[in-house]
Amino acid sequence: MKRLLKLAVFFLLIATVFVYSAELVIYTSDSFAGGIAKVVVPKFEQMYKCKVKVVSFGSMGDVLARLIAEKNAPKADVVIGLNPQQLQKAIKENLLQKYRATNSKNLVYKGFVNDYGTVYDYGALAMIYNIEKIKNPPKSFKDLLKPEYKGKFVLIDPRTSSTGLTFLMWTIAALGEDGAMEFWKEVKKNVLTFTSGWSAAFKMLETGEADMIVSYATDGAYSMYKYGSIKYMPIIFEEGAYVLEEYAAIVKGAKNLALARAFIEFMLTPDFQKEVPLNQWMFPVIDVQLPDVYKYVPAVKKILRLDPSINDRLDEILKKWEKAVIG
């Protein structure tokens, strides 16, 4: 009996050491790593008595490229921050393991449910401008072509950034594919620069290098929260709004599969979702109370959508964009 007891204690100690030494590796973007991850990761580590290593490669395009490069010997367990187009590309590249979160039952919009990716936030894109510098803001995509805005705004490269790619999709949804490419041929003449990701663009806005950038409709709430006034005003163009969803997924070949599944489930709980509005500056995907500053988010009157089949032509569309912008 004593021997059995000693064996039981021995295996319990081994199991305890294993749990405490387990490390979950997450690949993500600078914006997630530098924001909400700092709040939610310690919660998860405490809950599961594990370590979480958050690895950022700048933009989500860079993250996806790294996953493809490591396809035969994956180092990540979870990837966070894929937009719908990047999610489909990752599925097509056979980078992800199928997993439908049990907590998907908590989603406000059932259309977000996916067999590979788990949605954790969403929000409408917008142009945001510094009200101290821009007195007559653009109201449409075509307004961005006006000479008065030359050198005033920054756009984001759709080949490297989730936000940039979503903005490209917004132009296609608003103007049609051919119309969008014509728009890009013209708008490049007014663009101050193209950044590789959202974080770099927003930094240029905050330092005064740019007066307008592509961002999100929630930035009015952010401005009120941080500055006590609306310094950065969001505009949803009159053509209509385009909504971005962001997804997390389990990497195929993940070494810590149990922890990866646990983190995905954790992302759809109140412990994670209540931190989304003031850290991710997007809308939560389950029913949690929004902060008061979210009353400064402009109402979306018209939502533009694209046929999901466009995701199958992503490489072709990006080549068209390159031809239009780079030549």
Side-chain angles (χ1 to χ4, degrees):
M1 187 69 180
K2 288 182 178 180
R3 186 179 180 185
L4 288 173
L5 181 61
K6 287 180 179 179
L7 283 172
V9 171
F10 172 76
F11 285 117
L12 179 62
L13 287 172
I14 291 295
T16 303
V17 170
F18 173 77
V19 171
Y20 273 85
S21 62
E23 182 179 70
L24 181 73
V25 179
I26 295 173
Y27 279 9
T28 190
S29 65
D30 285 349
S31 59
F32 186 92
I36 192 172
K38 293 181 178 180
V39 179
V40 297
V41 165
K43 288 185 182 183
F44 184 80
E45 288 177 324
Q46 182 61 35
M47 289 169 63
Y48 287 89
K49 309 301 181 187
C50 66
K51 292 293 183 182
V52 176
K53 183 179 181 181
V54 179
V55 183
S56 170
F57 295 100
S59 67
M60 285 309 300
D62 296 325
V63 173
L64 192 54
R66 179 58 67 97
L67 288 174
I68 292 172
E70 295 177 355
K71 184 175 181 178
N72 296 323
K75 297 179 182 178
D77 299 303
V78 173
V79 56
I80 297 176
L82 299 168
N83 71 10
Q85 289 75 39
Q86 291 165 333
L87 176 64
Q88 290 305 311
K89 183 174 177 62
I91 293 170
K92 188 176 180 181
E93 292 281 348
N94 199 26
L95 300 175
L96 308 179
Q97 177 161 315
K98 209 173 197 180
Y99 183 69
R100 179 176 288 202
T102 302
N103 283 338
S104 291
K105 65 181 185 295
N106 298 331
L107 291 173
V108 174
Y109 301 107
K110 302 306 178 187
F112 285 158
V113 176
N114 189 285
D115 283 336
Y116 284 91
T118 297
V119 66
Y120 61 91
D121 68 19
Y122 72 99
L125 257 68
M127 287 295 292
I128 62 171
Y129 67 96
N130 186 330
I131 63 170
E132 296 172 0
K133 294 185 175 182
I134 301 290
K135 302 302 181 183
N136 182 34
K139 296 179 176 62
S140 68
F141 285 105
K142 292 180 180 178
D143 280 353
L144 287 178
L145 306 179
K146 293 179 177 179
E148 65 187 279
Y149 301 118
K150 185 176 179 63
K152 300 288 186 181
F153 62 94
V154 167
L155 296 182
I156 306 171
D157 194 326
R159 299 168 299 178
T160 56
S161 166
S162 175
T163 304
L165 180 55
T166 305
F167 184 76
L168 170 57
M169 292 298 164
W170 188 13
T171 64
I172 294 173
L175 306 171
E177 194 167 326
D178 291 341
M181 296 309 157
E182 288 300 318
F183 165 80
W184 282 101
K185 284 180 185 177
E186 295 302 317
V187 80
K188 68 180 181 182
K189 301 171 186 176
N190 276 0
V191 175
L192 174 62
T193 190
F194 286 89
T195 62
S196 62
W198 176 88
S199 296
F202 197 81
K203 185 175 181 181
M204 291 184 71
L205 184 73
E206 289 195 305
T207 58
E209 294 176 78
D211 298 339
M212 290 190 295
I213 67 166
V214 177
S215 193
Y216 297 89
T218 51
D219 281 315
Y222 169 83
S223 186
M224 181 60 71
Y225 182 80
K226 184 169 182 179
Y227 304 107
S229 62
I230 306 294
K231 182 177 181 180
Y232 303 134
M233 183 71 74
I235 299 173
I236 297 175
F237 288 151
E238 60 190 20
E239 289 92 344
Y242 193 82
V243 174
L244 165 71
E245 307 104 47
E246 294 189 292
Y247 291 84
I250 298 175
V251 177
K252 191 170 185 178
K255 294 180 177 65
N256 294 301
L257 187 56
L259 272 180
R261 288 174 174 170
F263 196 88
I264 295 293
E265 297 290 352
F266 168 67
M267 295 181 81
L268 295 184
T269 65
D271 278 335
F272 183 101
Q273 288 291 307
K274 70 183 181 182
E275 304 295 349
V276 167
L278 296 182
N279 290 284
Q280 196 69 359
W281 293 100
M282 297 281 271
F283 282 91
V285 294
I286 71 171
D287 189 15
V288 295
Q289 185 174 357
L290 290 173
D292 288 343
V293 290
Y294 266 60
K295 66 186 178 184
Y296 296 103
V297 179
V300 174
K301 297 177 181 178
K302 177 184 178 183
I303 295 179
L304 302 173
R305 291 184 173 86
L306 288 169
D307 190 315
S309 64
I310 197 171
N311 298 332
D312 298 329
R313 299 174 45 242
L314 181 59
D315 290 340
E316 175 193 339
I317 288 169
L318 287 173
K319 284 178 183 177
K320 284 185 176 182
W321 179 89
E322 286 181 344
K323 186 177 180 181
V325 175
I326 300 171

